[in-house]
């Protein structure tokens, strides 16, 4: 069973973005995460980094999976590595292209089978053709379990008619992405893990950082905690089926994020945070 706070590889580069020294720091950080008990890593080959004025470049962090392999292979038996396929540089992959993306993930991570693969969607109404292609790869033994990302309730239901879905990744945070309250609840009813992205960055999304909020900071001050810890504790409070995958390039932030699981928010704290909406 995975621990409720894992680690997302998206922020591994940090402000340095690229280079041998950045990757060496990433290797050390991943090893430290495992030492601290992390047994759930979330990654993808298409993670973007950001250039001048927030421009997004999908080719710039294509080393995340290779760094995970360098840092952790041979992998601990209890470690679950989840990855995502679907987005390409400027479009969504066609269903017939998904096998190639899965094979690339297997090669980069040095695995014979992927623990969890999410189908990350954008701009399509029906999930059936894409998800069906992944279900075929699961039947061939290339994937153990399937998830879906950036989906609506009806798309989740459509996917479940094809193959079991173990997890959903949608945007969700304090005061952000609350349109996903419904699917979070549906996941709880169905015994599906809900694994939000942007749980810390919220409306700043790809740009990173933890948004300023007087209400969140006041709660953090009362608990002697950080704003990030409060946001993560609130995320976990949304249900026992909710997991967190905060990412960072900082060992200090890694350790702080993992400590958020020990932060108990009061009913009054939760009411304040619940009331912050998009």
């Amino acid at each position: 069973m995975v621990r409720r706070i894992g680690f997302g590889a998206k922020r591994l580069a940090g402000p340095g973005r690229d280079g041998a020294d950045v990757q060496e720091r990433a290797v050390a950080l991943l090893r430290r995460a495992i030492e601290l008990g992390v047994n759930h890593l979330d990654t993808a080959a298409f993670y973007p980094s950001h250039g001048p004025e927030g421009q997004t470049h999908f080719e710039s962090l294509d080393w995340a999976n290779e760094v995970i392999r360098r840092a952790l292979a041979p992998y601990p038996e209890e470690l679950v590595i989840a990855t995502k396929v679907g987005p390409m540089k400027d479009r969504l992959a066609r269903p017939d292209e998904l096998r190639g993306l899965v094979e690339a993930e297997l090669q980069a991570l040095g695995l014979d089978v992927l623990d969890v693969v999410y189908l990350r969607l954008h701009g399509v109404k029906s999930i059936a053709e894409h998800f069906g292609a992944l279900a075929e790869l699961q039947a061939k033994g290339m994937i153990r379990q399937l998830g879906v990302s950036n989906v609506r309730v009806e798309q989740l239901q459509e996917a479940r008619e094809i193959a079991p879905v173990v997890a959903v990744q949608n945007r969700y945070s304090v005061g952000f992405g609350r349109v996903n309250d419904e699917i979070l609840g549906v996941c709880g009813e169905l015994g599906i893990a809900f694994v939000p992205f942007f749980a810390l960055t919220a409306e700043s999304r790809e740009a990173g950082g933890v948004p300023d909020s007087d209400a969140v900071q006041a709660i953090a001050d009362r608990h002697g905690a950080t704003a990030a810890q409060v946001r993560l504790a609130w995320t976990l409070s949304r249900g026992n089926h909710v997991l967190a995958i905060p990412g960072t390039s900082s060992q200090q932030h890694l350790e702080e994020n993992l400590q958020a699981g020990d932060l108990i928010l009061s009913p009054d704290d939760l009411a304040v945070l619940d009331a912050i909406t998009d």
Side-chain angles (χ1 to χ4, degrees):
M1 179 178 295
V2 298
R3 294 179 174 88
R4 294 192 67 197
I5 300 181
F7 182 84
K10 189 171 189 174
R11 305 287 173 192
L12 270 177
R17 300 305 178 200
D18 210 342
D21 57 334
V22 173
Q23 294 188 27
E24 288 305 317
R25 289 197 300 270
V27 166
L29 184 70
L30 287 163
R31 290 174 177 166
R32 180 58 177 156
I34 299 303
E35 289 174 359
L36 293 171
V38 169
N39 67 351
H40 176 202
L41 290 182
D42 186 84
T43 186
F46 61 80
Y47 278 151
S49 68
H50 310 282
E53 300 179 359
Q55 296 173 15
T56 300
H57 303 277
F58 279 90
E59 72 274 21
S60 298
L61 197 58
D62 56 3
W63 48 259
N65 287 343
E66 286 82 358
V67 165
I68 290 172
R69 179 179 182 175
R70 283 178 51 205
L72 304 178
Y75 299 106
E77 184 176 348
E78 67 277 10
L79 179 63
V80 172
I81 300 178
T83 190
K84 292 169 285 297
V85 296
M88 300 182 74
K89 185 176 180 180
D90 55 0
R91 61 181 175 85
L92 183 68
R94 300 188 310 270
D96 65 291
E97 293 175 308
L98 292 177
R99 178 173 184 136
L101 297 180
V102 167
E103 289 174 341
E105 297 277 342
L106 286 166
Q107 181 176 4
L109 290 165
L111 292 168
D112 296 323
V113 57
L114 296 170
D115 294 324
V116 181
V117 174
Y118 291 93
L119 174 62
R120 178 69 158 83
L121 291 178
H122 178 70
V124 297
K125 182 176 181 180
S126 172
I127 198 172
E129 194 173 358
H130 285 83
F131 195 75
L134 287 187
E136 290 178 5
L137 299 181
Q138 182 185 37
K140 294 179 183 295
M142 299 171 67
I143 301 169
R144 288 196 178 93
Q145 297 179 310
L146 296 173
V148 290
S149 178
N150 200 35
V151 294
R152 301 183 298 275
V153 170
E154 58 269 27
Q155 291 173 318
L156 171 60
Q157 294 169 341
E158 186 181 20
R160 292 181 69 244
E161 293 175 359
I162 298 169
V165 175
V166 299
V168 170
Q169 276 198 17
N170 278 17
R171 63 188 178 98
Y172 198 71
S173 179
V174 173
F176 177 75
R178 297 296 298 277
V179 66
N180 287 308
D181 280 338
E182 180 186 6
I183 197 167
L184 182 152
V186 169
C187 286
E189 294 169 1
L190 296 173
I192 296 172
F194 186 81
V195 191
F197 56 82
F198 300 144
L200 289 183
T201 59
E203 65 269 16
S204 59
R205 293 180 172 88
E206 307 288 0
V210 178
D212 291 331
S213 166
D214 291 341
V216 173
Q217 191 59 55
I219 293 171
D221 291 343
R222 285 199 298 273
H223 287 276
T226 67
Q229 288 172 329
V230 169
R231 288 177 176 273
L232 289 172
W234 177 85
T235 298
L236 297 179
S237 79
R238 303 302 289 173
N240 291 332
H241 66 298
V242 179
L243 307 178
I245 47 169
T248 182
S249 62
S250 160
Q251 181 171 314
Q252 177 183 342
H253 291 163
L254 167 68
E255 296 176 1
E256 290 173 351
N257 291 342
L258 294 178
Q259 292 165 4
D262 298 323
L263 177 59
I264 306 299
L265 299 174
S266 71
D268 287 345
D269 294 333
L270 293 174
V272 170
L273 296 170
D274 291 349
I276 303 173
T277 57
D278 303 64

